[in-house]
C-alpha cells in the first residue's frame, strides 16, 4: 500500500463529496450499503489493475484505451508511449476518466485531469521504482517518450454488491 493515513483521509473526503453531489440515478444504484470506503479501495487497488482510460480528441469525441493502472498515494497512474494518441489528447485537454471493473464484483470510477510526468519531472522518482518493481523494468526504458499520467481526481466512487468481501 502506497498511501499514508493522510492520503486515505483525503480519498475518503473525495468519495464522500462525490456521493453528496451524485445525481439521483447514481445514488440509487450505488446505495450506501454498496459503497466501498477509501481504506477498502486502497487495499483492493494494490499492484497492477486494468483500467479503461478515457480522453477526448480535438473534435471532442471520446476515446477509451485499456491500460494498466497503478494506484499510488490515492491517485491512479497509467503509462503511455510518446507517440500514443491518448498522450496528444491529454496534452491538448487534460480532462480524463478511468474505470476499473471486475465483472459484477467491483467498479471504481475516477474523473479528473491528468498530470503528465516524464523521466525528469517531479513525481517520476516516486513512481518509477514502484512501476519497475511491478514489471521488472523501468517504463522509461519501454520506448520513445514514455511518460506517466497521474489522474488528479475531481470525483471518485467505488461500488461493490458485497462490500463486506473487501477488507479494510
Amino acid at each position: 500500500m502506497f498511501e499514508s493515513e493522510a492520503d486515505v483521509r483525503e480519498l475518503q473526503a473525495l468519495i464522500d463529496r462525490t456521493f453528496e453531489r451524485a445525481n439521483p440515478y447514481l445514488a440509487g444504484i450505488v446505495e450506501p450499503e454498496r459503497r466501498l470506503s477509501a481504506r477498502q479501495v486502497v487495499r483492493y487497488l494494490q499492484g497492477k489493475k486494468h483500467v479503461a482510460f478515457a480522453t477526448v480528441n480535438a473534435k471532442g469525441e471520446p476515446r477509451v484505451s485499456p491500460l494498466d493502472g497503478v494506484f499510488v498515494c490515492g491517485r491512479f497512474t497509467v503509462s503511455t508511449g510518446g507517440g500514443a494518441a491518448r498522450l496528444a489528447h491529454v496534452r491538448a485537454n487534460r480532462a480524463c476518466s478511468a474505470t476499473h471493473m471486475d465483472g459484477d464484483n467491483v467498479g471504481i470510477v475516477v474523473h479528473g485531469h491528468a498530470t503528465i510526468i516524464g523521466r525528469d519531472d517531479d513525481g517520476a522518482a516516486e513512481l518509477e521504482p514502484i512501476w519497475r518493481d511491478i514489471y521488472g523494468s523501468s517504463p522509461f526504458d519501454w520506448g520513445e517518450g514514455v511518460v506517466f499520467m497521474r489522474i488528479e481526481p475531481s470525483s471518485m466512487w467505488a461500488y461493490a454488491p458485497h462490500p463486506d468481501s473487501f477488507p479494510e
Side-chain angles (χ1 to χ4, degrees):
M1 198 167 88
F2 301 110
E3 285 72 28
S4 67
E5 284 301 313
D7 292 333
V8 174
R9 284 192 303 274
E10 181 183 329
L11 184 61
Q12 187 62 57
L14 174 67
I15 291 169
D16 292 344
R17 281 192 312 274
T18 298
F19 284 117
E20 287 169 6
R21 299 185 312 237
N23 66 39
Y25 183 77
L26 176 62
I29 292 171
V30 188
E31 297 170 325
E33 63 272 13
R34 293 184 174 159
R35 297 175 188 171
L36 296 178
S37 70
R39 193 164 305 283
Q40 288 171 303
V41 168
V42 299
R43 291 224 189 274
Y44 172 75
L45 290 177
Q46 292 181 44
K48 171 182 65 173
K49 297 291 183 185
H50 298 116
V51 298
F53 182 77
T55 60
V56 294
N57 67 16
K59 296 178 185 177
E61 300 166 332
R63 295 293 182 259
V64 177
S65 301
L67 295 174
D68 291 345
V70 178
F71 206 66
V72 179
C73 297
R75 306 286 189 265
F76 266 114
T77 60
V78 297
S79 68
T80 194
R86 72 184 71 84
L87 182 56
H89 298 166
V90 167
R91 284 193 168 125
N93 180 346
R94 294 182 45 225
C96 64
S97 296
T99 300
H100 167 74
M101 296 181 300
D102 179 8
D104 291 332
N105 297 320
V106 65
I108 301 171
V109 177
V110 61
H111 304 293
H113 294 86
T115 297
I116 298 168
I117 302 171
R119 183 187 299 266
D120 298 322
D121 294 333
D122 288 342
E126 175 185 32
L127 294 174
E128 192 271 341
I130 294 167
W131 281 68
R132 185 177 0 100
D133 286 348
I134 291 170
Y135 290 95
S137 64
S138 172
F140 295 126
D141 296 333
W142 296 349
E144 183 86 23
V146 172
V147 298
F148 295 112
M149 294 185 288
R150 180 180 56 224
I151 302 173
E152 306 299 343
S154 56
S155 66
M156 184 173 181
W157 55 270
Y159 165 87
H162 304 288
D164 53 330
S165 63
F166 292 83
E168 289 203 5

